[in-house]
Amino acid sequence: EAPALRESLGRKFLVITPGIRPFANTDDQKRTVNVEQAFENGADYIVVGRPIKEHHGFSSPKEAAEDIQRRIATLFG
């Protein structure tokens, strides 16, 4: 919905996108996007919970969060 919100409202409102999955989604969350897609679609902020808590492919939640931050920095760097 973020692209439609941006088109309709412009930059008047913050767009916060939940359901971020930095990897292929295999859980019960039905509507997801990855980090890059969320910002490309117009998100100002993203909500990431389970991928950090469960940290698939990483040795710790901290490592998973740092990977997400690296991906964001690459987009805006």
Side-chain angles (χ1 to χ4, degrees), residues 17-73:
T17 304
I20 302 300
R21 295 295 185 266
F23 47 79
N25 185 36
T26 58
D27 58 38
D28 63 338
Q29 185 78 29
K30 298 296 180 207
R31 294 169 41 212
T32 64
V33 295
N34 69 33
V35 174
E36 293 80 4
Q37 289 169 324
F39 288 110
E40 289 166 2
N41 286 343
D44 293 298
Y45 294 95
I46 60 174
V47 178
V48 185
R50 200 175 309 172
I52 292 174
K53 180 181 172 199
E54 295 177 359
H55 60 276
H56 297 287
F58 297 97
S59 62
S60 69
K62 180 180 185 250
E63 213 176 86
E66 289 171 340
D67 178 66
I68 291 167
Q69 287 185 332
R70 178 192 55 75
R71 292 168 72 166
I72 293 169

